[in-house]
Amino acid sequence: MVPVERLTDKLEAPELDDRSYRVIRLPNKLEALLVHDPETDKASASVNVNVGSFSDAEDLQGEAHAIEHLLFMGTKKYPVENAYNQYLTAHSGYSNAYTASTETNYFFEVAARSDSGTTAKSPLYGALDRFAQFFISPLFLSSTLERELKAVDSENKKNLQSDNWRLSQLNKSLSNPKHPYHHFSTGNLETLRDEPRKRGVEIREKFMEFHANNYSANRMKLVVLGREPLDDLESWVSELFADVRNKDLPLNRWDDVQPYSDEEVLTQVFAKPVMDTRLLDIYFPYQDEEEMYKTQPSRYLSHLIGHEGPGSILAYIKAKGWANGLSAGAMPLCPGSAFFTISIRLTEDGLKDYQEVVKVVFQYISLIKQTPPQKWIVDEIKGMAEVDFRFKQKTPASSFTSKLSSVMQKPLPREWLLSGSKLIREFDSKAISQAMSCLRTDNYRLTIVSQDFPGDWDQKERWYGTEYRSEKIPSDFQEAVRLAGEVSAKERIPDLHLPHKNEFVPTRLTVEKREVEEPLKAPRLIRNDDGVRTWWKKDDRFWVPKGNVFVTLRNPLVAVTPANAVKAKFYCELVKDALVEYSYDAEIAGLEYSLGSYSLGLDIEISGYNDKMPVLLEKVLASMRDLEVKNDRFKIIKERLLRGFRNWEFQQPYRQVGEYTRWLGSEKGWINDQYLAELPHLTPEDISEFYPQLLKQVHIEVLAHGNIYKEDALRMTDLIDSTLKPRPLPQSQWQVRRNLILPPGGDFTYQRTLRDPVNVNHCIEYYLYVGAVSDMTLRAKLLLLAQMTDEPGFDQLRTKEQLGYIVFTGATMAATTMGYRVIIQSEKPTEYLEERINAFLVFFDKSLKDMSESDFESHKKSLINKRLEKIKNLNQESSRFWNHVSSEYFDFLQVERDAAQLKPLSKSDMIEFYEHFIHPTSPNRAKLSVHMIAQSSPAAIAGQMSSAEQKEKVVTMLSKYLTSLGVNVEPDKLNSRFVDVDVAGGDQQGIIAAVSKYLVEDAQIPKDQSDQIVDQGQQLLGTILPTLGIEVQTLSNGSSELSEAPKVKEPTVIENVHQYKAGLVVSAGPKPVMDISEFEDLEPKL
């Protein structure tokens, strides 16, 4: 037997990395990276297969994506379709996958240790065993094929109104048809089911053929991370993945054709977006840099072109009032092809003058080309990359394995798998010059995105329906660009120049590391007086030269009215706008800030390398204090905010629904409509007069965490105090956050029509109030319920019932209250979704009662593992601390308390909890349902057509369908079969039964042939009925038969939100879980 080949066990790793690594190659040529992490509490694995949507057949687009879905649906060794996810859920895990152009990536995460003792194999082994079978013997079960194709279609429909997807596909659809970049990668029912069936294609056979022809061990890269020693991991991988077949397939490359031919360059495409956005995108066909990992010349270009400091493209076009933002960089497509892209967010004036903006870009490119590549710039980029890699912290296990399995497909030396794409190792002037040569004035395409310019779009993109116009760039514009690209230094815009040396590059990178028995679980309160509270913790876990400083300037004025909330947001945007050039150097040197407003006041955050942190903080504070509201910038920011508020309504419905649920559950609070109503009336004087009031009297709350000494934390606090010089805000004036309490037995529904007229998806958030977030026992029960329903909720509502691609069940926490929620985005009406959620909750009641004690205990252990999961990096710990400070409960030991509360819970406790708070027929449960209703729905269409007309059209279409299959149709007899069928009500079962009886009894067609005709025809009903305004009832059959929804009382529809809120009781406000003095570590007062 051929032994396992060990390629290397010496990987270049970050300075603080305590993992050990080994790269092996199995006899079947599958290559694996094994990672031993003695401290991890989560194990993970990922397989990356070198095949993706670029390998789809032209007449079966979306094929690779569909196969990714189907591999989860059972294997020969583990034939139950959801056995894999059930196993992972039982062991605190989850799984996911994605399909990209040249790769398909599968990954999972699971508890790293067994709960049954140290002698048992960890859950990783069982997960690997199930996972490996995806690539050895997938079943492609016929019973799951239709469902998963619908899941792919639902995923596609979810993206139909997303501008990112629409514009990306437009660029693809207008690319060279001979290159696979032209493909429609997601797929839908048209490409994967309906059209192939018309051609007589056996779809399942095609999928199995694709898997057989493209999935090969030599194309697979595996990463496994666990607590086990490398020898054990090697043994498991050798055993479990040995049977993956090696077909010695060549690695996929596309060297003989480029995504843009001569036909596609020097064109300009005008596209109409869904949201009110204005973009100018410049695409340059670019070199493939996969083999250039030592020099990475595109990083030099993107650093200069994408720079935002003085002398940059953005600084100039922003000063002209043409743009708000710019980004640039290489966009690899596949081995052999890439783009270099420049994307500019335009103002209204910039849109009118987009040709001038393009000329400025090419003038700057001419500056770079005429200046020899600068070694000091590469050294600066190289130096920061080395610092970032040296102090790189751990990421979640599945993020690490998924990313690394993809990196393994690149031609890197195996010793450089961790560092190869991050570090620049050489300055290569020739390589940079070669890269620059791609940015030519005869080698680009423009895309101009706007809702109203030029307005005469004359075409629609096939897959997403994006309106566009494509044309050759006019010759006079081409000539102007050519001249800009050749401009001499003397004639060039004098404001354009290379950046200066970055003073924010950190130089003090020392960390005083000391031994600690156990890291502190809470920060200390080192200042606590009338005006200020400062929390601090010197990092004792991660030992990186980084820190995070969070500041709240508490002032109730910020959100007391919608107008004030908008003014506060406007003020923050103006400050950030004024700081762009200054803060950019800090950002690229690993030091960032954010500024925003929320219900309690203004929030400032400074994060990154702690060396220059006080310098950036001081500048941000001074800019806040001294802001000059300039009319030109006010106008641009106002217009940008207006678009932002308007665009909010065009997000996907599931991203909107939570805003209304929170609003209906809050004593005070505002929604998008209310902000939008105030913004048009604001003037520069309003902001100038408002912001000094915000800063005049505040309470300052600070958290300093990381490589920051106590003295530094106090000095930064003093800096805030001395710069802003506010009067203290007494605690009696602090805002108290309270939520509304739904009454026992209350059942409310709030309905809202979605603003996007083309969106076809409805959405529901179904919320059950449970109690106060501070009630630890109830909280533990709620969290356990969320754990237990996670997999069955997804399996029933999405996989089996196919209600929609977006299905979520779980716990939700507000400021003072908590509850259980279900979110579904679907083409089906919200009333139907509510029925199916009720049915699921009845179904789960039985599942809970029938659950074995061992399964119940397994869920508890799985949840305890999740709650006690180790923090992976400094930012995670900082965020946790700040959440507890901001909540005003100061419950820094919350996860430990949760775990302690979970341990004694019994199954009878959970049944009692469920029967009281959750079961649809419980007289005590309290429910709020938010229904987001699509305009472009069958109900809207139905309003234009009578039920008789609907029935006539359906029967006519069925008659044509049967005739096309050679059936002799007698219209009167066919019509008579439909007399008692509720066609307008979407009764698919009745329609199918009527057609079957006609075929067998009237047309005398043999039963087996009739069944075949009906089986093909019923696939068309799901497409035909909605176009006639008919809501489709879900078919029930076999194992996927729908459980009956319980009879529940009619809900109260919320017509007047003010009256609804006025009728509810409010909760108590947050109270610290322990006296705040317990956290104090104050300097003695003299």
Side-chain angles (χ1 to χ4, degrees), residues 682-722:
L682 294 186
T683 65
E685 292 71 33
D686 290 328
I687 308 301
S688 297
E689 291 167 9
F690 178 68
Y691 86 78
Q693 297 175 47
L694 287 186
L695 304 180
K696 189 175 184 180
Q697 188 178 22
V698 301
H699 177 267
I700 300 168
E701 185 115 49
V702 178
L703 167 67
H705 176 227
N707 190 39
I708 298 169
Y709 287 95
K710 185 176 180 180
E711 299 75 21
D712 295 328
L714 290 169
R715 270 196 291 268
M716 282 193 272
T717 304
D718 289 339
L719 179 65
I720 300 164
D721 210 359
S722 62

Side-chain angles (χ1 to χ4, degrees), residues 538-720:
K538 175 78 169 66
D539 172 43
D540 56 2
R541 285 178 187 259
F542 304 106
W543 314 112
V544 289
K546 294 184 174 184
N548 293 299
V549 175
F550 300 87
V551 183
T552 286
L553 304 176
R554 187 180 272 106
N555 186 324
L557 280 177
V558 166
V560 73
T561 65
N564 276 18
V566 174
K567 286 184 223 176
K569 182 177 177 63
F570 207 140
Y571 164 63
C572 292
E573 291 302 312
L574 285 165
V575 172
K576 290 189 285 188
D577 184 67
L579 278 168
V580 167
E581 288 187 36
Y582 179 86
S583 64
Y584 185 73
D585 273 353
E587 185 183 326
I588 58 177
L591 182 62
E592 297 181 314
Y593 85 98
S594 65
L595 173 64
S597 58
Y598 76 124
S599 60
L600 297 187
L602 300 177
D603 258 9
I604 307 165
E605 180 183 345
I606 311 284
S607 61
Y609 294 103
N610 59 277
D611 181 14
K612 309 286 194 333
M613 194 171 266
V615 179
L616 181 58
L617 176 60
E618 184 175 20
K619 182 68 174 180
V620 172
L621 292 166
S623 298
M624 292 173 68
R625 180 194 64 200
D626 302 331
L627 176 70
E628 181 188 346
V629 182
K630 298 176 180 174
N631 286 345
D632 58 339
R633 297 314 299 169
F634 176 89
K635 179 185 171 188
I636 287 168
I637 301 296
K638 182 176 181 178
E639 192 275 333
R640 191 170 80 199
L641 285 173
L642 274 168
R643 282 189 293 123
F645 286 129
R646 289 180 188 134
N647 287 341
W648 189 91
E649 304 269 7
F650 287 81
Q651 295 180 100
Q652 292 196 38
Y654 79 95
R655 295 189 184 279
Q656 298 182 45
V657 70
E659 181 83 359
Y660 295 103
T661 311
R662 283 189 289 276
W663 175 53
L664 293 166
S666 301
E667 182 190 18
K668 296 172 184 173
W670 319 111
I671 53 172
N672 193 70
D673 285 359
Q674 293 165 315
Y675 300 139
L676 191 53
E678 298 297 333
L679 185 55
H681 306 293
L682 294 186
T683 65
E685 292 71 33
D686 290 328
I687 308 301
S688 297
E689 291 167 9
F690 178 68
Y691 86 78
Q693 297 175 47
L694 287 186
L695 304 180
K696 189 175 184 180
Q697 188 178 22
V698 301
H699 177 267
I700 300 168
E701 185 115 49
V702 178
L703 167 67
H705 176 227
N707 190 39
I708 298 169
Y709 287 95
K710 185 176 180 180
E711 299 75 21
D712 295 328
L714 290 169
R715 270 196 291 268
M716 282 193 272
T717 304
D718 289 339
L719 179 65
I720 300 164

Side-chain angles (χ1 to χ4, degrees), residues 775-786 813 818 863 897-903 905 910 913:
D775 185 328
M776 297 304 291
T777 304
L778 271 183
R779 178 185 165 89
K781 291 174 182 176
L782 174 61
L783 291 171
L784 184 53
L785 173 64
M813 308 290 167
M818 60 186 175
L863 178 56
R897 293 180 205 272
D898 285 342
Q901 291 288 336
L902 284 162
K903 285 176 183 174
L905 287 183
M910 286 304 296
F913 169 82

Side-chain angles (χ1 to χ4, degrees), residues 782-801:
L782 174 61
L783 291 171
L784 184 53
L785 173 64
Q787 156 71 25
M788 292 192 296
T789 58
D790 179 51
E791 192 280 329
F794 187 87
D795 183 56
Q796 182 63 34
L797 299 171
R798 181 184 143 172
T799 306
K800 288 193 169 73
E801 296 194 28

Side-chain angles (χ1 to χ4, degrees), residues 788-970:
M788 292 192 296
T789 58
D790 179 51
E791 192 280 329
F794 187 87
D795 183 56
Q796 182 63 34
L797 299 171
R798 181 184 143 172
T799 306
K800 288 193 169 73
E801 296 194 28
Q802 289 289 303
L803 295 181
Y805 184 74
I806 300 295
V807 172
F808 171 81
T809 62
T812 179
M813 308 290 167
T816 59
T817 57
M818 60 186 175
Y820 180 80
R821 68 172 173 176
V822 181
I823 294 176
I824 303 175
Q825 180 172 294
S826 172
E827 291 180 79
K828 295 179 172 61
T830 50
E831 293 81 5
Y832 178 73
L833 298 178
E834 184 146 334
E835 275 183 25
R836 298 319 307 154
I837 294 168
N838 283 332
F840 167 71
L841 294 177
V842 171
F843 159 80
F844 186 76
D845 179 56
K846 183 175 185 306
S847 299
L848 176 58
K849 289 170 179 170
D850 294 345
M851 189 180 291
S852 68
E853 285 297 329
S854 63
D855 283 349
F856 180 78
E857 289 301 316
S858 176
H859 276 300
K860 277 171 56 180
K861 287 170 183 172
S862 180
L863 178 56
I864 288 169
N865 284 341
K866 284 178 185 172
R867 296 304 293 153
L868 298 177
E869 184 177 339
K870 288 182 179 177
I871 291 169
K872 300 295 186 293
N873 52 56
L874 184 74
N875 287 347
Q876 276 189 6
E877 186 171 45
S878 295
S879 296
R880 180 179 289 185
F881 287 160
W882 188 237
N883 285 338
H884 290 313
V885 170
S886 301
S887 75
E888 298 178 272
Y889 286 104
F890 307 106
D891 192 2
F892 299 107
L893 300 180
Q894 187 184 73
V895 293
E896 288 83 0
R897 293 180 205 272
D898 285 342
Q901 291 288 336
L902 284 162
K903 285 176 183 174
L905 287 183
S906 66
K907 194 173 119 180
S908 60
D909 291 333
M910 286 304 296
I911 291 171
E912 182 185 347
F913 169 82
Y914 197 90
E915 298 289 344
H916 184 91
F917 290 104
I918 308 299
H919 197 286
T921 60
S922 166
N924 299 298
R925 81 165 193 162
K927 179 173 77 71
L928 168 65
S929 227
V930 178
H931 293 201
M932 308 292 286
I933 300 165
Q935 292 183 46
S936 184
S937 65
I941 301 166
Q944 305 158 20
M945 198 181 296
S946 70
S947 57
E949 286 174 309
Q950 288 173 321
K951 180 181 279 191
E952 182 187 346
K953 285 185 180 294
V954 168
V955 175
T956 301
M957 286 180 175
L958 288 171
S959 176
K960 288 179 180 177
Y961 166 70
L962 295 175
T963 303
S964 73
L965 295 177
V967 177
N968 184 26
V969 177
E970 296 181 60

Side-chain angles (χ1 to χ4, degrees), residues 156 456 622 678 692 786 908 1009:
N156 177 62
D456 55 348
E678 298 297 333
S908 60
Q1009 191 180 340

